[in-house]
Amino acid sequence: MLAHDGHNCLDVDECLENNGGCQHTCVNVMGSYECCCKEGFFLSDNQHTCIHRSEEGLSCMNKDHGCSHICKEAPRGGIACECRPGFELAKNQRDCILTCNHGNGGCQHSCEDTADGPECSCHPQYKMHTDGRSCLEQEDTALEVTESNATSVADGDKRVKRRLLMETCAVNNGGCDRTCKDTSTGVHCSCPVGFTLQLDGKTCKDIDECQTRNGGCDHFCKNTVGSFDCSCKKGFKLLTDEKSCQDVDECSLDRTCDHSCINHPGTFACACNRGYTLYGFTHCGDTDECSINNGGCQQVCVNTVGSYECQCQPGYKLHWNKKDCVEVKGLLPTSVLPHVSLHCGKSGGGDRCFLRCHSGIDLSSDVATIRTSVTFKLNEGKCSLKKAELFPFPEGLRPALPEKHSSVKESFRYVNLTCSSGKQVPRAPGRPSTPKEMFITVEFELEINQKEVTASCDLSCIVKRTEKRLRKAIRTLRKAAHREQFHLQLSGMNVDVAKKPPRTSERQAESCGVGQGHVENQCVSCRAGTYYDGAQERCILCPNGIFQNEEGQIICEPCPRPGSSGAMKTPEAWNVSECGGLCQPGEYSADGFAPCQLCALGTFQPEAGRTSCFPCGGGLATKHQGATSFQDCETRVQCSPGHFYNTTTHRCIRCPAGTYQPEFGKNSCVSCPGNTMTDFDGSTNITQCKNRRCGGELGDFTGYIESPNYPGNYPANTECTWTINPPPKRRILIVVPEIFLPIEDDCGDYLVMRKTSSSNSVTTYETCQTYERPIAFTSRSKKLWIQFKSNEGNSARGFQVPYVTYDEDYQELIEDIVRDGRLYASENHQEILKPKEDAENFRIEPLDVENPESGDTGEEESWPVPVSGGLHSKDKVRFSGLALCLKLCREAWRKESPAPI
C-alpha cells in the first residue's frame, strides 16, 4: 500500500482481514501471504482450502515427498511438484525460486529477476539496507563532516537534525503501524478509533470492547478489528441503539399457530383446542380418540371433528357417564318426573302458558337445522334469558294455576326451543327503522302411552288422540304468545324469552348473549363449572351437588346421585366425575357410584365412575385385582414403543403407517392427528406424524412457498411444485432466510427454481444443503417453476421462502442491492432477512411527484415510491427480507435528483 507521503510502499497484512481467506492458518510475508494447513491436510489447488486424506500410502501424503510448495499425484503414479504463483520451479523439479511477481520479490522498492533470484534496488536519494531488501534515505553530506569542536552547540544541533532526517514518515511510515505525522521533534504515531497506542509509541493494538461491561450489549458481544458488534439470542431482535435486545412477540404475527399461541421471552408455544393434537410444532389436527382404547366406550365409538361420542347398540341406552351402555328394560315408570311440562290456563280473559324445563337443559348458541312444530312472531325485541318479574304473581309461579282453570296440561320428554331474529322492518325515509322482528320456535316430542290402548281404541286411535291433544296445546300456546303471556321456567327460575328494546332515552350498552357475562368490557362465555345467573347478570360457580361440563350454560345439572352431594370434591364441578362417591380407576359398580368392586383378575378399568371393566383378552390374567391399565395384564412379551400387543397371536406388531405408540406394553397404537401420516410403520412419537400437503400462498404481488409440515420435519418421498407467474412488466425478488436440508443423503433432497420444468431451462437457484445464513436474489426469468423433492432418507425442517414482485423498470436497481455485500455483511442485517418471527410491516406509500419529499414521514419504515410504478402501493407488504432492501433503496433514491428514479 502507498504510504501517506505518496512515495513509499508499505506491506499489507492480508491475514488481518477474514484470515486471508485461508481455511486453516494464514502467514503474512512481505508483499503477500501464504495459507498453511494443519497436520493431516494438504493445500488444494486454490491455495486456500485444505483437503483431508484418510488413506495411507499415497505419495503426496508422505512428508518426505520433497516438493517445496505443491505436490500433485500423477495419473500413472508418482508425484509432480508445482510452485505457487510468483515462484518458478528449480532445475531439480522440487524446489521453488522466488520471482519479482510474488510480493515484489520481497523488495521494498524495485525488483529485477536474475538467475539467482530477485535483485532489489532503491529509488534515487535512498540507499540499500544491509538486509538487501529495505531502503533508507541517504544522509546529508554536510552531516558527514566532523569538526574538532565536538562539544559546541552547533554539533548538538547537527546530531539532532541527523536523527530527525533518519526518522521520517517517508521511510517505512516512520515505523508506525497506522498514522504517521512528521513533527519538529520527530515522527508522531497515532491510532484510529478502536485501537490503542502501545508503549513503544509505534504499534497499534485493537481494543477488545467486549472485555468492559460486555461492550454494553444486552446479550452477545463479538469483538472485531477496531470495533465490536452486538447480537441477540434467538427470539430477540436488536433495537436501533444496536445494543439492546427486545423479545419478538411471535404471537402477534399471522400464521404462527393454528389455534392458541403463548409468547415466552425468546420463544413461543402453540396449544390446541380441546379435541385436537399439536403436530409440527405449530399445527393442530383432530384427535381420533376412538383409536385409544376405543375412546373408553363400552360398545361403539364414533370420532367427530374436535370430539367423539359413544353410542350403544339396539336395546341399550347410554349411561350418564356417556361411555357405558345400560340395557333398556320395559317402559319408563309413570312415576318418573318428566323433563318438560306445558301448563296453560285462563287468566284475564285469555290463556296464559308456562313451559317448565325441570332438568337436562343444554343451551346451544348455534342450531344448524330447525324442525318446526309451532312458531310465533313478536314484532320487536331481542332474544334473552333473563330472570323475569311475573305480575300479578310477585312470588313467581307459586301458587300454580288452579286446576279448574287449566285449558292445557301436558308432559313432554323433549322440547327444543329456538329464538331467532329476523330482518329489520323498514320505515319511511328520514325515520329510524324499527327493531328487528323476533321468532320463537318450539319443537315438542310427545311420547305415546301404550298403556292407554284398550279394546275400543287401538294404538292408531291413541296416536290420533295424542296428535289432537298436541294440536290443541299448540293453538293455545300460540294465542298466549301473541298476548305476551308465554313464560318459561328453567330449573325453578322464571326467565323472559324475549327482551323488548329500551326507549331511546333509556338505551344502554349492548348486553351480552345468552350464557355470557361481562369481563373487562368484553362478552365472555361462562366457563365449565359455572352457569349464568340472569338475576345477578354474571357467572356463578355450580353449588355443591351439581355440575356443568359445557361453556355458556344457564343452569347446572344435578349429580347423578343427589344423595351423595355431601361427598363433593369441589364446589366448582366442571365434570360429572367431580361429583362425589364415584368408583375410582380399577373399580366398578352397577351405576358407577359407591359401593364399588375391584376389577376382577384379567380385567382393568382406567377411568372413574364406570359400570364395568375391560377384559385383557387372549386369556391373559392381571398381576392383581383392581388393575387400571392394559400394562397390568401379564403379557407373554413386553412390546417396545412403536409396537402393540396382539392378544390373539400374543406377539408384538409394528404400528401401521399413520399411527404411533410412545409407550411400552400397550395393546393399541394412536392414530395421527388430522390429515397427517407417518413415513413408515413402527413410529414412536407424534413428531413422526407429518402433513404431506405442500404449503404456501401465491399472490401477484407477494407470497411464499413452504415445505410440507413446516416448521416440523418434512415427510419422506414427497414432491411439491409451485409456479410463480407475476403480472405483466413485473419481476420476482426472493429471499431464502434459511433452509434446512440433510447433507448426508448425497443431494437426495433438493430445492430448484428455474424458468420451466425442463432441466435445460434457465436456473435461478438450486440447493441440497442446509444454509442458516440468508440470501436474496432476483429471478433470472420472468416466471418461476419451483420444485422440492425428498427421498426416503433423512429429513429436516425444510424452508419457508417469501417473495415479492416489483416493476421491471427497477430491475437494475434491485439487482445492485441484492448483489451488494453489505446486505449480508453484519449479523444485524442477516437477522432482518431471517424468518417471519423477526419480520415487521413496511408500508409502501405513493409519492407526490410534484412534492417528492411529501411521501417521507421521517420514519425508516416508510419508503416513497413513484405512483406510476414500483412495488405494489396498496398493501402492507409483510415480507421480512424486504426491510433492508427498502432502506437501501431509499438511500439510493435520495442520492438521485428530486425526480423519481
Side-chain angles (χ1 to χ4, degrees):
M1 60 178 290
L2 194 64
H4 292 293
D5 61 4
H7 295 83
N8 201 21
C9 296
L10 306 178
D11 172 53
V12 174
D13 187 354
E14 295 87 352
C15 296
L16 290 177
E17 186 175 354
N18 196 28
N19 198 41
C22 301
Q23 185 177 359
H24 286 180
T25 307
C26 178
V27 179
N28 184 59
V29 296
M30 180 71 79
S32 186
Y33 70 102
E34 297 177 357
C35 295
C36 301
C37 296
K38 299 175 183 176
E39 190 167 348
F41 296 80
F42 63 89
L43 206 61
S44 65
D45 293 344
N46 61 26
Q47 304 301 305
H48 286 79
T49 57
C50 298
I51 300 174
H52 178 257
R53 290 280 182 87
S54 58
E55 300 88 356
E56 297 295 336
L58 297 175
S59 55
C60 282
M61 292 301 292
N62 188 344
K63 295 181 180 179
D64 301 323
H65 55 63
C67 294
S68 178
H69 283 185
I70 303 171
C71 175
K72 282 196 170 184
E73 295 156 13
R76 298 182 180 180
I79 62 169
C81 297
E82 293 183 0
C83 297
R84 292 190 289 269
F87 292 82
E88 291 182 351
L89 196 63
K91 294 179 181 180
N92 61 9
Q93 299 297 307
R94 292 286 189 272
D95 297 328
C96 294
I97 301 173
L98 178 68
T99 69
C100 294
N101 291 330
H102 181 80
N104 200 38
C107 302
Q108 185 176 358
H109 286 185
S110 302
C111 177
E112 184 176 350
D113 284 317
T114 66
D116 298 325
E119 185 175 307
C120 302
S121 59
C122 298
H123 299 163
Q125 306 301 320
Y126 289 85
K127 67 177 183 179
M128 183 63 64
H129 191 272
T130 54
D131 62 8
R133 296 184 178 187
S134 306
C135 297
L136 301 174
E137 189 174 358
Q138 294 181 359
E139 300 176 4
D140 192 287
T141 53
L143 295 177
E144 298 177 357
V145 179
T146 58
E147 298 180 0
S148 57
N149 52 346
T151 59
S152 65
V153 176
D155 285 344
D157 291 341
K158 290 177 181 179
R159 284 196 295 273
V160 172
K161 184 177 181 182
R162 178 178 179 181
R163 181 177 62 82
L164 294 178
L165 286 174
M166 291 180 65
E167 189 176 56
T168 173
C169 294
V171 179
N172 201 27
N173 200 40
C176 300
D177 260 6
R178 295 301 175 94
T179 305
C180 179
K181 184 178 181 181
D182 287 312
T183 67
S184 58
T185 57
V187 298
H188 176 72
C189 301
S190 61
C191 301
V193 176
F195 293 84
T196 179
L197 193 65
Q198 298 299 287
L199 296 176
D200 61 4
K202 306 279 188 180
T203 309
C204 292
K205 183 181 179 182
D206 172 55
I207 299 173
D208 188 353
E209 296 86 353
C210 298
Q211 295 295 326
T212 306
R213 299 191 306 278
N214 198 41
C217 303
D218 269 4
H219 290 175
F220 303 122
C221 180
K222 181 181 179 182
N223 186 54
T224 60
V225 178
S227 185
F228 68 101
D229 286 330
C230 296
S231 59
C232 300
K233 299 174 184 176
K234 191 171 184 180
F236 293 83
K237 62 181 179 182
L238 197 64
L239 299 183
T240 52
D241 63 2
E242 297 190 354
K243 291 185 178 181
S244 304
C245 294
Q246 185 183 70
D247 172 54
V248 176
D249 184 4
E250 296 88 353
C251 296
S252 65
L253 305 170
D254 295 335
R255 303 196 313 269
T256 300
C257 298
D258 282 359
H259 287 178
S260 303
C261 181
I262 306 166
N263 187 58
H264 300 292
T267 184
F268 68 98
C270 295
C272 297
N273 299 337
R274 186 178 177 182
Y276 292 83
T277 301
L278 187 70
Y279 71 90
F281 301 111
T282 63
H283 304 294
C284 295
D286 171 54
T287 303
D288 184 1
E289 294 88 351
C290 296
S291 69
I292 309 170
N293 197 30
N294 197 41
C297 302
Q298 188 180 38
Q299 292 186 4
V300 181
C301 181
V302 179
N303 185 57
T304 59
V305 178
S307 184
Y308 75 106
E309 62 180 68
C310 298
Q311 295 179 355
C312 297
Q313 296 167 357
Y316 292 84
K317 66 177 181 179
L318 203 60
H319 188 259
W320 60 260
N321 61 24
K322 304 297 185 184
K323 293 192 175 183
D324 288 318
C325 293
V326 181
E327 187 176 1
V328 178
K329 298 179 181 179
L331 296 173
L332 193 68
T334 55
S335 60
V336 176
L337 181 69
H339 289 169
V340 188
S341 63
L342 177 66
H343 191 182
C344 297
K346 299 294 182 179
S347 175
D351 287 296
R352 190 178 200 183
C353 293
F354 293 89
L355 182 64
R356 294 186 178 95
C357 298
H358 302 286
S359 63
I361 302 169
D362 180 63
L363 189 66
S364 175
S365 59
D366 182 18
V367 180
T369 59
I370 301 174
R371 293 171 297 177
T372 305
S373 292
V374 55
T375 300
F376 40 90
K377 181 178 72 172
L378 301 180
N379 290 329
E380 60 179 15
K382 64 176 295 184
C383 298
S384 170
L385 279 179
K386 191 174 181 180
K387 187 175 181 181
E389 296 295 337
L390 294 182
F391 298 100
F393 302 111
E395 298 298 324
L397 291 181
R398 295 183 296 272
L401 289 172
E403 292 291 330
K404 62 181 181 179
H405 294 300
S406 296
S407 55
V408 172
K409 188 177 181 182
E410 289 290 351
S411 296
F412 303 94
R413 292 301 300 162
Y414 170 81
V415 165
N416 182 20
L417 187 145
T418 305
C419 179
S420 60
S421 299
K423 297 181 180 180
Q424 278 192 325
V425 180
R427 285 285 186 92
R431 300 181 65 185
S433 60
T434 62
K436 291 183 178 180
E437 297 174 334
M438 212 182 71
F439 297 90
I440 295 178
T441 300
V442 186
E443 175 192 346
F444 293 99
E445 184 179 297
L446 184 61
E447 286 189 349
I448 306 298
N449 190 352
Q450 296 186 19
K451 290 185 177 181
E452 296 180 5
V453 177
T454 63
S456 60
C457 187
D458 60 6
L459 183 60
S460 61
C461 172
I462 296 298
V463 170
K464 290 180 180 179
R465 284 183 183 179
T466 306
E467 289 177 347
K468 182 178 180 181
R469 203 169 67 244
L470 184 58
R471 284 196 295 271
K472 178 185 176 183
I474 289 176
R475 285 196 302 270
T476 306
L477 181 61
R478 189 188 299 275
K479 292 176 183 178
H482 288 160
R483 295 179 61 247
E484 298 184 7
Q485 291 297 317
F486 171 62
H487 306 284
L488 182 64
Q489 188 183 73
L490 301 178
S491 295
M493 182 178 70
N494 303 316
V495 295
D496 279 331
V497 184
K499 179 183 177 182
K500 286 190 175 182
R503 297 185 180 91
T504 307
S505 59
E506 300 174 357
R507 288 191 184 273
Q508 298 176 347
E510 282 292 319
S511 60
C512 293
V514 176
Q516 291 186 324
H518 275 290
V519 177
E520 296 180 356
N521 297 325
Q522 289 186 337
C523 292
V524 179
S525 296
C526 295
R527 70 177 187 275
T530 68
Y531 71 100
Y532 181 74
D533 188 326
Q536 302 183 47
E537 296 187 352
R538 64 188 183 94
C539 301
I540 305 294
L541 297 180
C542 290
N544 204 17
I546 59 178
F547 76 98
Q548 180 53 261
N549 59 355
E550 299 289 339
E551 291 184 351
Q553 300 300 312
I554 58 172
I555 64 162
C556 295
E557 295 289 342
C559 285
R561 296 181 65 184
S564 65
S565 61
M568 280 286 295
K569 299 178 184 177
T570 169
E572 185 183 356
W574 60 270
N575 192 289
V576 69
S577 62
E578 295 290 327
C579 293
L582 286 177
C583 292
Q584 298 304 302
E587 299 176 346
Y588 75 100
S589 71
D591 58 1
F593 284 92
C596 307
Q597 292 180 309
L598 293 176
C599 289
L601 292 175
T603 64
F604 64 93
Q605 179 52 258
E607 300 180 12
R610 299 301 297 266
T611 64
S612 63
C613 298
F614 296 108
C616 291
L620 299 176
T622 52
K623 302 170 185 176
H624 51 77
Q625 289 183 327
T628 58
S629 73
F630 180 80
Q631 290 163 311
D632 293 326
C633 299
E634 294 183 313
T635 56
R636 298 180 186 178
V637 291
Q638 186 183 35
C639 298
S640 59
H643 298 75
F644 71 96
Y645 188 84
N646 187 311
T647 56
T648 302
T649 62
H650 296 285
R651 297 177 60 185
C652 294
I653 309 296
R654 290 173 65 87
C655 289
T659 66
Y660 66 98
Q661 181 50 259
E663 297 185 48
F664 284 91
K666 288 292 187 177
N667 62 335
S668 63
C669 296
V670 184
S671 293
C672 284
N675 297 320
T676 60
M677 178 66 66
T678 58
D679 291 336
F680 310 101
D681 60 358
S683 297
T684 60
N685 199 287
I686 180 67
T687 58
Q688 293 168 289
C689 295
K690 304 171 184 177
N691 193 328
R692 302 187 68 87
R693 185 180 65 85
C694 302
E697 294 178 6
L698 304 182
D700 287 344
F701 301 98
T702 181
Y704 70 97
I705 63 169
E706 190 176 80
S707 56
N709 204 55
Y710 184 86
N713 287 0
Y714 53 78
N717 297 316
T718 188
E719 181 175 350
C720 296
T721 56
W722 302 269
T723 300
I724 304 176
N725 196 2
K729 296 187 177 181
R730 296 190 75 83
R731 303 297 291 262
I732 307 169
L733 169 65
I734 300 170
V735 169
V736 181
E738 54 188 359
I739 182 169
F740 298 91
L741 301 176
I743 59 175
E744 302 91 354
D745 290 348
D746 295 328
C747 286
D749 303 345
Y750 63 86
L751 175 68
V752 62
M753 303 181 186
R754 49 178 179 249
K755 184 177 181 180
T756 66
S757 58
S758 170
S759 58
N760 296 323
S761 62
V762 177
T763 300
T764 293
Y765 177 78
E766 186 171 10
T767 185
C768 60
Q769 296 185 25
T770 292
Y771 289 100
E772 296 189 53
R773 292 173 63 92
I775 182 173
F777 53 88
T778 56
S779 171
R780 296 179 61 199
S781 54
K782 287 193 174 182
K783 67 176 183 178
L784 270 184
W785 178 86
I786 305 173
Q787 183 187 50
F788 168 67
K789 204 168 185 179
S790 68
N791 63 7
E792 62 182 14
N794 296 303
S795 181
R797 275 180 58 188
F799 54 84
Q800 186 185 75
V801 177
Y803 72 89
V804 292
T805 63
Y806 59 93
D807 194 303
E808 63 182 13
D809 291 343
Y810 300 110
Q811 174 76 5
E812 191 173 335
L813 170 64
I814 298 295
E815 286 187 353
D816 285 345
I817 292 171
V818 299
R819 291 173 183 171
D820 192 332
R822 290 176 297 170
L823 187 64
Y824 320 97
S826 74
E827 291 185 12
N828 193 20
H829 288 179
Q830 292 168 27
E831 286 304 312
I832 294 176
L833 295 172
K834 281 285 184 180
K836 63 185 179 184
E837 55 259 32
D838 296 332
E840 295 180 10
N841 288 329
F842 289 85
R843 182 179 291 280
I844 311 304
E845 298 180 349
L847 174 70
D848 184 351
V849 178
E850 296 182 359
N851 184 13
E853 290 296 331
S854 65
D856 187 2
T857 63
E859 299 176 359
E860 289 191 357
E861 291 78 11
S862 177
W863 176 49
V865 179
V867 174
S868 59
L871 299 163
H872 190 39
S873 61
K874 293 186 292 184
D875 298 332
K876 272 189 174 182
V877 182
R878 199 202 138 279
F879 179 60
S880 58
L882 194 58
L884 189 61
C885 293
L886 294 181
K887 293 180 181 179
L888 295 177
C889 282
R890 183 180 180 192
E891 292 174 7
W893 178 79
R894 282 178 164 170
K895 291 176 183 177
E896 299 285 337
S897 61
I901 301 174

